[in-house]
Amino acid sequence: MNHTKKLLIIGFVWPEPNSSAAGGRMMQLISIFATNGFEITFASPALDSDFMVDLKAFGVEKRTIELNNSSFDDFIMALNPDVVLFDRFMIEEQFGWRVSENCPKAIRLLDTEDLHCLRTARQKAFKENRTFEVHDLLSEEVAKREIASILRCDLSFIISEFEMDLLKDTFKIDSNLLHYLPFLVDKMSEENLQELPSFEERKNFVFIGNFLHEPNWNTVQYLKETIWGEIKKQFPEAILQVYGAYPSQKVLQLHQPKSGFFIMGRAEDANEIVKNARIVLAPIRFGAGLKGKLLEAMQCGTPSATTTIGSEAMHGNLPWNGFITDDIQEFAKHAVTLYQNENLWKQAQKNGIAIVNECYQKNKYSDELIKTINSLLNDFENHRLHNFMGSLLEHHTLKSTKYMAKWIEAKNKN
């Protein structure tokens, strides 16, 4: 008789799918494992939030755990999971050694979300007003930690093909340790467009994004200080509504109804807002991974205007559902044209559906994922034998991280 496979997810935070793309992705992963018969426990050292999802409603057991506390060892030994999924490398650093010590046979997976080292290095280059070069990553402190974490795990989920290539070419990581897993959504058809608000029924430009995420805050500043003025020159009646979770006082101060610039705060239902907007503006200047807001725009039949970074690795060789440019004047000009030209707008909508169906098919990617995990479960010893750098790092990390954690725990008791 087959036993039910157990998955433990250790979350950096509790999932908030309405606040961020990361929360949405985590719920996609939970759904794949649940559909494939895994019994899921989600544990996190984070505090509860008002906007976290009700995990019990998805059949997932919720457990609060503590950092630097051996109570986790008792918890994981009692649970004895077959698979452990770390949500971001910082969580693997904290709990990876405890998992490998207490449940050495458990498959260790890492969901990178996006490459933090890439986002950090690009942000640094942007702040220093220079062009980002791939070799910047090699001196990045975060890269050393993140790559070590990827090497210690049996498999890491990589959300972007650009990042897959970067890991293989720049960091020379064996492709057996990496698994390409973009956002996963249902197939769409042109009939779906009939159910969405039409060109005439929609109005306004919209930007949507969690303000705790630095690239989003930077984008809103860029819109306010540079791009919006250019758009208003060509289209004086234009209105931009900026939505996002966790707006700070700095964000709220940008609210300026006179110039058509509205800070709206948290979106009750992001989908509804994007569906009723005519254009999504996302002039993102640094970042990594895939942009959930731009995929959501495609699903809502809403064309978008973005930058090279915004669209990176998102559309294969297919035409964008709107336009991509890094030039300020071009951006403003195209945004206004797309807003006013119904034929162009409808073509952009169709491009979005083609991208959703070609690049983000849930069935295709979820089947491949489960197949890969099952083969790891059947042959993890051989897989680990061929990951010498990983076992070498694990050996040394186990020692250093373990004693650091034990020292902190002892200190906390005193």
Side-chain angles (χ1 to χ4, degrees):
M1 194 179 116
N2 285 347
H3 87 273
T4 304
K5 293 194 281 275
K6 288 188 200 167
L7 166 70
L8 168 64
I9 301 173
I10 308 179
F12 182 65
V13 291
W14 302 107
E16 287 187 26
N18 294 333
S19 302
S20 71
R25 175 167 173 84
M26 181 51 77
M27 295 314 292
Q28 289 168 5
L29 291 173
I30 285 173
S31 155
I32 293 172
F33 283 105
T35 307
N36 284 279
F38 278 79
E39 192 179 286
I40 306 171
T41 302
F42 193 106
S44 176
L47 295 169
D48 285 8
S49 88
D50 295 342
F51 303 101
M52 61 196 256
V53 83
D54 177 10
L55 289 164
K56 283 198 182 71
F58 293 87
V60 175
E61 182 173 346
K62 173 183 180 280
R63 294 290 295 265
T64 298
I65 51 178
E66 280 184 59
L67 295 169
N68 304 308
N69 195 314
S70 53
S71 59
F72 178 84
D73 304 347
D74 303 330
F75 158 68
I76 196 166
M77 278 167 79
L79 183 67
N80 194 21
D82 302 273
V83 179
V84 176
L85 171 63
F86 303 104
D87 166 28
R88 294 168 248 211
F89 80 91
M90 301 81 90
I91 285 292
E92 188 279 334
E93 284 181 331
Q94 289 286 346
F95 294 99
W97 67 271
R98 291 187 187 273
V99 172
S100 67
E101 201 168 70
N102 294 295
C103 295
K105 289 184 177 173
I107 299 300
R108 298 191 298 278
L109 307 174
L110 172 65
D111 185 30
T112 54
E113 290 289 355
D114 60 10
L115 280 185
H116 290 62
C117 60
L118 178 61
R119 180 159 26 107
T120 308
R122 277 179 171 162
Q123 188 171 336
K124 204 174 275 181
F126 172 78
K127 296 261 157 87
E128 291 167 6
N129 203 13
R130 59 182 171 80
T131 307
F132 163 77
E133 304 284 350
V134 166
H135 62 246
D136 291 348
L137 289 166
L138 299 173
S139 56
E140 193 57 59
E141 172 76 18
V142 178
K144 297 179 175 83
R145 292 170 55 198
E146 191 164 26
I147 299 302
S149 183
I150 288 171
L151 286 167
R152 284 191 297 265
C153 289
D154 296 309
L155 196 68
S156 291
F157 302 158
I158 311 301
I159 203 166
S160 133
E161 287 176 314
F162 177 84
E163 294 179 5
M164 282 291 277
D165 293 341
L166 195 69
L167 290 167
K168 288 190 263 195
D169 302 341
T170 304
F171 293 108
K172 311 291 183 236
I173 292 182
D174 182 344
S175 57
N176 288 327
L177 299 178
L178 306 173
H179 188 89
Y180 174 57
L181 194 67
F183 290 126
L184 306 174
V185 298
D186 293 322
K187 211 168 169 60
M188 287 182 77
S189 70
E190 290 201 10
E191 280 72 71
N192 293 127
L193 292 181
Q194 313 308 315
E195 296 150 25
L196 294 166
S198 68
F199 177 82
E200 293 83 12
E201 288 168 324
R202 297 170 180 245
K203 60 179 197 300
N204 302 339
F205 293 98
V206 75
F207 170 83
I208 198 157
N210 182 330
F211 288 110
L212 296 178
H213 191 57
E214 183 68 25
N216 287 336
W217 162 231
N218 181 272
T219 301
V220 172
Q221 285 175 297
Y222 187 38
L223 276 165
K224 180 75 174 68
E225 291 159 15
T226 311
I227 289 174
W228 191 241
E230 291 296 321
I231 289 176
K232 287 293 273 187
K233 268 184 219 165
Q234 298 173 46
F235 180 25
E237 306 84 71
I239 284 175
L240 171 63
Q241 294 179 316
V242 175
Y243 287 89
Y246 303 108
S248 64
Q249 208 40 51
K250 277 192 304 190
V251 176
L252 298 171
Q253 279 167 358
L254 300 181
H255 183 65
Q256 203 175 27
K258 265 198 203 123
S259 65
F261 199 97
F262 291 84
I263 300 290
M264 311 294 287
R266 176 182 283 275
E268 277 305 305
D269 182 342
N271 234 334
E272 272 309 299
I273 283 154
V274 177
K275 257 186 220 167
N276 288 291
R278 198 175 282 179
I279 308 284
V280 165
L281 296 182
I284 298 161
R285 293 189 283 186
F286 55 83
L290 298 179
K291 312 300 173 283
K293 60 176 76 54
L294 294 174
L295 177 59
E296 179 178 48
M298 295 177 208
Q299 290 177 284
C300 292
T302 312
S304 63
T306 191
T307 53
T308 316
I309 291 274
S311 65
E312 180 178 271
M314 283 205 68
H315 58 119
N317 298 317
L318 297 169
W320 190 248
N321 73 316
F323 65 86
I324 300 162
T325 179
D326 297 324
D327 179 273
I328 295 162
Q329 266 71 37
E330 287 276 300
F331 194 97
K333 188 179 87 181
H334 286 314
V336 173
T337 308
L338 192 56
Y339 192 98
Q340 294 173 338
N341 183 325
E342 187 171 354
N343 291 336
L344 200 64
W345 188 88
K346 284 183 168 166
Q347 185 53 54
Q349 251 192 348
K350 288 177 186 167
N351 292 352
I353 291 186
I355 295 169
V356 166
N357 292 341
E358 179 69 33
C359 305
Y360 301 99
Q361 268 325 289
K362 193 196 275 175
N363 297 347
K364 173 183 162 187
Y365 290 108
S366 49
D367 293 350
E368 281 173 17
L369 174 67
I370 295 298
K371 210 166 97 186
T372 306
I373 288 169
N374 285 334
S375 103
L376 268 177
L377 284 164
N378 294 331
D379 195 20
F380 74 93
E381 282 163 338
N382 187 39
H383 178 81
R384 285 178 186 170
L385 194 62
H386 288 91
N387 179 14
F388 181 74
M389 293 309 282
S391 54
L392 178 114
L393 277 166
E394 199 184 336
H395 172 80
H396 289 285
T397 310
L398 197 70
K399 299 272 186 286
S400 58
T401 319
K402 175 178 175 177
Y403 291 109
M404 180 59 143
K406 288 193 177 300
W407 178 77
I408 292 170
E409 186 175 8
K411 196 163 154 280
N412 289 344
K413 279 178 182 158
N414 297 334

